[in-house]
Amino acid sequence: MKWRTRTVELNLKQIIDRLNAEFVGDTRKLVFWYDDKADFAEDLENVELENAKIYRLQPDNQFYTKYFLERVDTTTNYLVYAPFPKPDVRENHLEDTLLYSRRFFADRASLLSVDLGIEEKYKPILEKHIKFFADKKRTQRFYDLEIENFNEENILTGLLSAICKARTCSFEEVVRIVLTESSLSENAYLQQFEQYDLLPSFWRLCEQHFGYTDVKPTLERLLVTLFVTYTARYVQTELPAAWKSFVSYKAGNIIAFLDSLMNSVLYRDKYDELSDHVAKGLNVYQAFSGCRADDLVECDTFLAVDQVLVKWLMGRLLAEDTGAKLNELTIPEVCEKRAKMHFGRKTDKTYQLLQSAYCMVQAANYRSAEGFKAIVDRYLSADHQIDQQYRKFYFYYDKLENTEAFEPLRELVENIYTNEYLATLLPAWNEGLRQEEALAVLPLQRDFYNANLRYAKERTVVIISDAMRYEVGQELFARMQDDPKCSAQLSVQLGVLPSYTRLGMAALLPHRTLEMTDDFQVLVDSTLCDTLAGRQQVLQSYVPDSVCIQFDVIKSMKVADLRDVLTKRQVIYVYHNQIDARGDKPNTEDEVFNACEEAVQEIMDLIRRINGSGNTHHFIVTADHGFIYKRDKLSESEKIAGKSMENAFVNRRFVVSAAPLQDDGIGHMSMGAVLGNQDAKVVSYPVSSNVFKVAGGGANYVHGGSSPQEMLVPVLDIKMERGHQETKNAEIALVSILHKITNLITSMDFVQSEAVSDTVKPAKYRVFFISEDNEKISNENTYVADNRELSAQKRIFRLRFTFKNKKYDKDKQYYLVVYDEDTGLEQWRHPVMMDIAFADDFGFGF
């Protein structure tokens, strides 16, 4: 049996040993034990003595007991146990029996003191709260705290900790449990404290640790004291007069305590609930609305602070004041800073939206470059970011629960994007496209195979993502660059016109001829290739060891099947359709920006899976075409009423016909120039973001026309290190709220932050304490973080530390440090005070 499960029984064992000693010898003995408070009534239920029987005395069976002991059984040794005080002499029928018997006294407080190593001077504390030890489970929890060097404070803290079922003897942990695991008004823990006469001690410890004192203390006022004191440290202005009485002189302890709550993966949600409760009671939003925004930037106590700051940022953006600053921080810097603070889990989408809005406001009064090459160059270096930030704005806007407050900002963003940016850029682009040398400025999509695959020597996976326009490809490129095991290059090619799927997909295949028939079918080397089978037929005619496959098929393959598909293949075309699949449907077109985010992640995941499991390391990611999306519904003035379009291939953004459409705002190009043949047909297209008026719903998402967004197609050339799959180590974090070490032996709880999985690998850590001079002051624990449990509670573990028996300086800083065993690098450190006390310095005077 382990020591920890046995300790609580030692008091009873001591008593049994003493009782057995009473009955040694051959002479018959009677021993009376009056247990005044029935402390051991439960314990004796299953006790058997070596040389005696236990006789249970009741207040109303004394006469029978006398008869039994002196007439019925006169030979057996008996322990006469009475779970009540000894009666007065005049009422005790056994008084004469007691004259020739022995009395036994069991003082539970004394036994506990001896067993736990508590000095005699602290015995009155145990006696005062002896009722606490009447329950075995509660007593065991006190033992399990493993308190060393008892003094008045840690005895009382231990009693409180045991009631709260805390895993460590820590008053901060007691307060954490009291505040977060029961109500503030009818608190179950405070009721238990009162039951065992510990409530006055709890409030005195609150005064000692947090400086909270009150004539009639309450949890509500304690909580307000904590939050107001914390706020006072970080708000750079005077607090409201009504708050000042709540500011405590123990600010350091309070800040450490609330920091531990808000930064804990286990308790941060509870912190948010408490913060919201206090904020409503103090009307924090109204109190801070009149403050200068500069004074609130560092404060992280209440979500209301972010609400005030967001209102200020909105005001600056609506005024198009992009030069505004808070404490020398620009608007994007403020957004980035606040998104990383505690409430960032709730506010990050809002701050991301504001950052994107800032970029859009900067694009106001847009002026286009002159000349096709200059337009292309600037789009690739800078202007694509306007499309990207417009997309990001709506991506986060659509994730907000309530968008009413942001509607004015949305209207400003929409106006800048449509009426200033697109209205200026697209006519300039189409003017440049008419230049004779325009088709020579960029590599052409129809030359993709020859430029990228014809001479490739290693197996290459080509991922063609339908409608992945340049700015989305640029985001994929940026995210892949963050992977140190990845080498990526981003280039661009000029897509076909009309910029739609059948023609774009055909242009990406190897071919000698690319043509559009008179009934507008697209042929590659005279083969119809608008299906997967047709495309594979064309590809295999050039590369026999090749295959075409849908993304949804390959992503769900088992590893063995994946390897079978890849083995002995030279070229693999993977067709991915996330963006166009949603954008092309009227009921889902407003989800297209969300589809862009998902597309980037899906492609990254596929590349890493194929690289890690399929022994393939070279990837090319491109698209058939891009798209234009605007959130506001098109007005009638933005729709071009085309004239007779018989015998024509008509789309919202293009018309292919025998002769060009003659109307204002329409450009045209010969299909022969697009396809590199003698095709006499003509493609006509709006030179702005307008569309042709055609039947059917859905017009916010369009493609097929002539614009940088539709025709500039990304080409990412990606090489991955062999066998690499992006992973990270499982990390560990401190659970126990512990800022002061008071015992030479201390146990602390930690949690493995994430479960071990395909992307989270096991890690080995060394954990110990050091001084500010780097002297190791404790034993070193080694822990292997390899837990696969999904529940965070099941990933909690305990480490025990034994400290050097030496004098510690209370004015010096000491640290709990965690080192990665493999790299030898420090992962994190947690500051603590060393307050090893060997004398009573608590001062309760009990």
Side-chain angles (χ1 to χ4, degrees):
M1 187 181 292
K2 294 183 178 179
W3 177 86
R4 191 173 290 175
T5 59
R6 197 176 68 218
T7 19
V8 76
E9 306 296 339
L10 287 179
N11 291 330
L12 184 59
K13 184 177 184 303
Q14 290 173 347
I15 292 170
I16 294 171
D17 289 344
R18 286 175 55 192
L19 286 170
N20 281 327
E22 294 282 351
F23 296 104
V24 173
D26 297 330
T27 307
R28 191 231 188 179
K29 297 180 178 66
L30 299 178
V31 177
F32 282 78
W33 178 6
Y34 288 97
D35 184 5
D36 294 6
K37 298 179 181 179
D39 289 337
F40 293 92
E42 182 184 343
D43 295 331
L44 287 178
E45 288 287 348
N46 300 312
V47 168
E48 291 186 7
L49 299 177
E50 294 175 359
N51 193 28
K53 293 182 179 180
I54 300 175
Y55 182 94
R56 293 184 173 273
L57 182 62
Q58 300 298 329
D60 58 356
N61 73 346
Q62 295 182 60
F63 184 78
Y64 174 79
T65 299
K66 181 177 180 67
Y67 167 76
F68 177 80
L69 294 175
E70 296 183 356
R71 293 288 186 270
V72 178
D73 186 351
T74 60
T75 60
T76 304
N77 294 331
Y78 279 102
L79 168 66
V80 182
Y81 176 74
F84 50 85
K86 178 180 172 292
D88 185 75
V89 174
R90 288 172 295 181
E91 299 176 0
N92 189 3
H93 298 292
L94 294 168
E95 193 66 35
D96 56 343
T97 308
L98 282 167
L99 295 176
Y100 63 85
S101 304
R102 294 177 60 86
R103 285 279 303 276
F104 179 80
F105 297 91
D107 179 353
R108 186 183 284 271
S110 296
L111 293 169
L112 284 166
S113 297
V114 172
D115 190 28
L116 290 165
I118 298 175
E119 294 181 57
E120 182 70 20
K121 63 181 178 179
Y122 300 127
K123 180 181 171 184
I125 303 173
L126 299 181
E127 291 175 334
K128 180 176 181 179
H129 305 290
I130 200 66
K131 194 163 56 170
F132 169 93
F133 295 98
D135 179 75
K136 283 184 181 180
K137 292 181 180 179
R138 197 165 50 241
T139 304
Q140 183 65 59
R141 292 199 297 269
F142 184 81
Y143 271 82
D144 286 346
L145 295 171
E146 299 178 4
I147 301 170
E148 299 285 337
N149 303 313
F150 284 94
N151 58 30
E152 189 169 356
E153 179 179 355
N154 59 33
I155 292 172
L156 291 166
T157 301
L159 297 173
L160 295 168
S161 298
I163 290 172
C164 292
K165 299 181 181 179
R167 295 164 65 92
T168 56
C169 181
S170 163
F171 185 67
E172 286 84 357
E173 183 70 358
V174 168
V175 175
R176 195 275 304 168
I177 292 170
V178 168
L179 291 177
T180 63
E181 296 187 12
S182 187
S183 66
L184 294 175
S185 54
E186 298 295 327
N187 190 272
Y189 296 104
L190 260 58
Q191 291 171 3
Q192 290 186 66
F193 295 166
E194 188 169 23
Q195 181 181 349
Y196 299 110
D197 200 19
L198 286 163
L199 191 55
S201 300
F202 172 79
W203 291 121
R204 291 189 190 184
L205 283 164
C206 283
E207 180 179 0
Q208 176 177 321
H209 284 258
F210 301 126
Y212 170 68
T213 180
D214 218 331
V215 176
K216 291 184 178 179
T218 65
L219 286 180
E220 186 83 41
R221 293 179 68 83
L222 168 63
L223 189 64
V224 173
T225 296
L226 297 176
F227 277 86
V228 169
T229 302
Y230 191 99
T231 302
R233 177 64 66 92
Y234 293 106
V235 170
Q236 308 302 314
T237 187
E238 192 171 341
L239 293 180
W243 296 17
K244 291 181 180 178
S245 62
F246 291 102
V247 178
S248 167
Y249 63 94
K250 293 272 189 177
N253 288 357
I254 289 174
I255 289 170
F257 175 74
L258 287 186
D259 276 343
S260 295
L261 273 185
M262 70 166 65
N263 296 325
S264 168
V265 66
L266 296 176
Y267 309 140
R268 62 190 181 191
D269 290 337
K270 289 291 187 180
Y271 172 89
D272 292 356
E273 291 176 18
L274 295 173
S275 173
D276 183 61
H277 178 80
V278 175
K280 288 176 180 175
L282 295 179
N283 202 352
V284 170
Y285 179 79
Q286 183 177 351
F288 282 162
S289 292
C291 295
R292 294 173 62 249
D294 305 65
D295 295 331
L296 302 177
V297 174
E298 301 297 329
C299 182
D300 203 17
T301 324
F302 304 106
L303 183 61
V305 173
D306 289 288
Q307 294 168 341
V308 173
L309 290 174
V310 166
K311 184 177 180 181
W312 182 89
L313 291 166
M314 285 268 292
R316 294 300 86 217
L317 290 173
L318 289 172
E320 301 187 34
D321 181 9
T322 57
K325 290 185 177 183
L326 289 179
N327 291 350
E328 300 305 315
L329 297 176
T330 64
I331 289 177
E333 288 171 342
V334 171
C335 292
E336 186 175 355
K337 177 184 178 69
R338 295 299 303 187
K340 291 178 179 178
M341 295 176 77
H342 171 72
F343 287 103
R345 292 180 301 126
K346 298 182 177 181
T347 62
D348 62 330
K349 296 179 182 64
T350 299
Y351 285 119
Q352 294 277 9
L353 175 148
L354 293 173
Q355 282 185 278
S356 295
Y358 173 87
C359 295
M360 294 305 301
V361 172
Q362 281 196 313
N365 303 312
Y366 177 83
R367 296 291 180 267
S368 174
E370 295 183 7
F372 191 70
K373 185 176 187 306
I375 291 171
V376 168
D377 288 346
R378 199 168 91 179
Y379 187 84
L380 298 180
S381 64
D383 284 355
H384 74 273
Q385 295 175 13
I386 301 175
D387 292 303
Q388 193 172 76
Q389 293 303 328
Y390 178 79
R391 171 169 64 87
K392 294 287 186 182
F393 176 86
Y394 277 108
F395 175 76
Y396 292 111
Y397 182 87
D398 290 342
K399 291 187 178 301
L400 299 180
E401 292 182 9
N402 187 347
T403 59
E404 182 179 356
F406 297 93
E407 185 60 29
L409 187 60
R410 190 201 73 79
E411 291 177 1
L412 175 62
V413 166
E414 192 70 21
N415 181 60
I416 292 172
Y417 186 72
T418 300
N419 299 325
E420 299 187 32
Y421 171 61
L422 292 181
T424 302
L425 174 62
L426 268 59
W429 162 275
N430 283 300
E431 181 66 27
L433 193 61
R434 294 171 56 188
Q435 297 171 2
E436 190 173 330
E437 70 277 8
L439 296 184
V441 168
L442 292 172
L444 300 179
Q445 188 179 39
R446 71 184 190 219
D447 297 327
F448 169 79
Y449 178 84
N450 287 340
N452 296 280
L453 292 165
R454 184 175 181 181
Y455 302 107
K457 295 182 179 179
E458 61 181 322
R459 177 162 59 237
T460 303
V461 173
V462 179
I463 301 173
I464 303 171
S465 185
D466 201 329
M468 188 178 73
R469 66 185 185 182
Y470 180 81
E471 60 89 2
V472 179
Q474 192 278 334
E475 180 174 338
L476 173 61
F477 168 69
R479 291 178 63 179
M480 293 300 296
Q481 276 193 314
D482 290 338
D483 186 342
K485 303 296 180 69
C486 168
S487 172
Q489 293 182 325
L490 174 64
S491 58
V492 68
Q493 56 191 5
L494 185 65
V496 291
L497 187 65
S499 51
Y500 77 112
T501 298
R502 273 187 293 170
L503 186 57
M505 291 295 185
L508 293 169
L509 290 167
H511 58 269
R512 287 178 291 276
T513 62
L514 186 64
E515 58 185 308
M516 180 180 285
T517 65
D518 289 343
D519 60 352
F520 311 110
Q521 297 293 320
V522 177
L523 304 181
V524 174
D525 296 346
S526 301
T527 300
L528 184 64
C529 58
D530 57 356
T531 66
L532 190 71
R535 293 168 192 167
Q536 181 165 287
Q537 180 182 340
V538 171
L539 183 61
Q540 289 182 345
S541 70
Y542 286 82
V543 187
D545 297 329
S546 64
V547 67
C548 292
I549 191 168
Q550 294 290 354
F551 172 87
D552 288 341
V553 173
I554 196 170
K555 80 170 184 179
S556 57
M557 281 183 173
K558 296 178 180 179
V559 172
D561 295 334
L562 177 65
R563 289 173 178 168
D564 186 56
V565 168
L566 297 172
T567 300
K568 297 182 180 179
R569 308 284 188 190
Q570 181 66 19
V571 177
I572 300 94
Y573 270 42
V574 178
Y575 292 93
H576 175 254
N577 190 11
Q578 175 68 264
I579 300 170
D580 205 54
R582 265 193 269 179
D584 254 349
K585 296 182 178 65
N587 61 331
T588 59
E589 66 176 345
D590 283 349
E591 299 174 15
V592 68
F593 286 163
N594 194 61
C596 290
E597 295 285 335
E598 293 176 16
V600 169
Q601 188 61 54
E602 286 181 348
I603 293 170
M604 290 173 62
D605 291 344
L606 182 66
I607 288 173
R608 286 168 179 150
R609 181 165 189 257
I610 292 176
N611 177 57
S613 302
N615 194 32
T616 301
H617 319 294
H618 186 212
F619 302 83
I620 296 176
V621 183
T622 189
D624 51 349
H625 57 78
F627 66 90
I628 290 178
Y629 172 88
K630 296 183 294 180
R631 176 56 59 95
D632 280 358
K633 302 300 179 185
L634 274 81
S635 63
E636 285 302 309
S637 65
E638 295 174 287
K639 298 176 183 179
I640 301 172
K643 298 176 182 177
S644 176
M645 296 183 183
E646 295 181 4
N647 300 318
F649 180 16
V650 181
N651 184 277
R652 290 188 182 280
R653 288 283 292 164
F654 68 86
V655 174
V656 179
S657 55
L661 298 182
Q662 299 296 334
D663 207 341
D664 292 339
I666 298 177
H668 51 81
M669 180 181 291
S670 76
M671 287 304 301
V674 173
L675 301 175
N677 59 23
Q678 302 303 311
D679 194 331
K681 292 189 287 295
V682 175
V683 55
S684 301
Y685 50 86
V687 297
S688 64
S689 62
N690 291 351
V691 300
F692 291 113
K693 185 183 292 187
V694 297
N700 291 42
Y701 170 90
V702 293
H703 64 84
S706 176
S707 68
Q709 293 80 5
E710 296 164 285
M711 292 185 68
L712 291 181
V713 176
V715 179
L716 281 82
D717 193 301
I718 297 169
K719 292 185 178 179
M720 303 290 292
E721 285 191 12
R722 295 181 180 274
H724 171 68
Q725 183 176 12
E726 187 178 34
T727 60
K728 62 180 179 179
N729 284 347
E731 298 177 346
I732 61 175
L734 189 61
V735 171
S736 302
I737 300 179
L738 191 64
H739 306 292
K740 182 166 65 174
I741 304 296
T742 59
N743 297 309
L744 287 175
I745 299 177
T746 297
S747 295
M748 302 177 72
D749 287 342
F750 297 79
V751 62
Q752 182 180 311
S753 300
E754 294 180 86
V756 167
S757 64
D758 292 341
T759 56
V760 180
K761 62 182 182 179
K764 191 175 184 180
Y765 295 102
R766 295 185 295 117
V767 190
F768 52 93
F769 285 82
I770 61 172
S771 70
E772 62 184 25
D773 303 321
N774 288 320
E775 175 195 0
K776 188 182 288 186
I777 60 170
S778 77
N779 66 305
E780 183 176 295
N781 282 286
T782 299
Y783 182 77
V784 178
D786 59 358
N787 194 317
R788 293 181 177 273
E789 290 285 351
L790 296 180
S791 169
Q793 289 291 341
K794 293 182 179 180
R795 297 196 302 272
I796 293 176
F797 60 94
R798 173 173 287 193
L799 297 178
R800 193 180 188 196
F801 300 91
T802 302
F803 294 91
K804 289 183 179 179
N805 195 345
K806 57 174 281 186
K807 184 175 179 60
Y808 293 97
D809 189 339
K810 291 183 181 180
D811 296 326
K812 282 191 174 183
Q813 192 69 70
Y814 300 87
Y815 300 94
L816 168 68
V817 292
V818 176
Y819 279 82
D820 187 304
E821 176 80 11
D822 294 332
T823 65
L825 298 176
E826 181 181 315
Q827 298 302 296
W828 54 267
R829 60 173 54 199
H830 174 76
V832 296
M833 285 178 54
M834 296 298 294
D835 187 15
I836 306 295
F838 297 94
D840 180 11
D841 57 1
F842 190 38
F844 273 13
F846 289 164

